[in-house]
Amino acid sequence: MELTPAAVSAEHDWVRDRADVVVPLINETRRRLGEQFDTRVGEVDEATYLDAVDAVFADGEVGVNVAAYVRILKQLDVQDDYPGFVVDEVLGRELAATIAGGEPLRLLAQATFHFADVAVHTDGPAGRDDLDAALAAGFQTRLPGWSWREGDSPFDSRR
């Protein structure tokens, strides 16, 4: 696999074009997480998702890594699936983390990936489920809508 600027641009377009699948997964994941943690989480609309995709790919170092994970997961399949379970989970978790950004969002995206993945069933190669779950987990973590992320942190030492 070779990643050129044109290949990264193609994956950027593919992730944008996946909005009709990923945005509902984001909102369903947020609804389920909200129920688990007894909180209300804001929904994400398509325009917000598309802006976030553009922001991720605008950072060249992040964009090339996201493109690589996407390209691998789109094609990854393992005969009888289970032997490949570990590799597609690792790749999905890392894609979600890369999209979300630095700590603590990175760790939250990895945990959310596993939460989202159990509810995602996509036709195609084994990696496709994990790809959709990773996109949903990474972007839902990155985007606003969680009350604990709104306003100033009580742990801000500059107060």
Side-chain angles (χ1 to χ4, degrees), residues 37-154:
F37 295 104
D38 194 29
T39 190
R40 179 154 164 64
V41 187
E43 286 197 349
V44 172
D45 62 22
E46 186 173 318
T48 302
Y49 169 78
L50 294 174
D51 287 346
V53 171
D54 292 346
V56 165
F57 279 91
D59 182 335
E61 290 78 14
V62 173
V64 72
N65 284 283
V66 168
Y69 287 128
V70 167
R71 197 161 264 201
I72 292 168
L73 284 165
K74 280 186 349 189
Q75 299 175 27
L76 181 64
D77 205 6
V78 178
Q79 185 177 350
D80 300 327
D81 191 34
Y82 189 77
F85 174 75
V86 172
V87 71
D88 57 13
E89 294 294 306
V90 168
L91 292 168
R93 189 181 71 214
E94 288 302 313
L95 172 56
T98 303
I99 290 168
E103 295 298 349
L105 297 180
R106 175 179 184 75
L107 178 62
L108 289 171
Q110 289 176 330
T112 302
F113 164 74
H114 293 293
F115 185 83
D117 190 32
V118 299
V120 176
H121 304 288
T122 305
D123 290 333
R128 191 60 67 99
D129 285 0
D130 298 286
L131 175 52
D132 287 339
L135 293 172
F139 284 108
Q140 92 73 33
T141 303
R142 178 185 185 91
L143 292 169
W146 290 90
S147 61
W148 69 271
R149 294 196 60 207
E150 309 296 324
D152 296 330
S153 170

Side-chain angles (χ1 to χ4, degrees), residues 1-54:
M1 176 175 66
E2 181 179 9
L3 285 175
T4 62
V8 172
S9 180
E11 297 309 332
H12 175 204
D13 291 344
W14 187 89
V15 173
R16 285 180 58 85
D17 291 344
R18 199 85 179 135
D20 64 327
V21 172
V22 177
V23 171
L25 288 174
I26 289 171
N27 290 325
E28 177 61 18
T29 300
R30 284 181 162 205
R31 184 194 62 74
R32 290 177 43 234
L33 285 167
E35 289 173 1
Q36 286 293 125
F37 295 104
D38 194 29
T39 190
R40 179 154 164 64
V41 187
E43 286 197 349
V44 172
D45 62 22
E46 186 173 318
T48 302
Y49 169 78
L50 294 174
D51 287 346
V53 171
D54 292 346

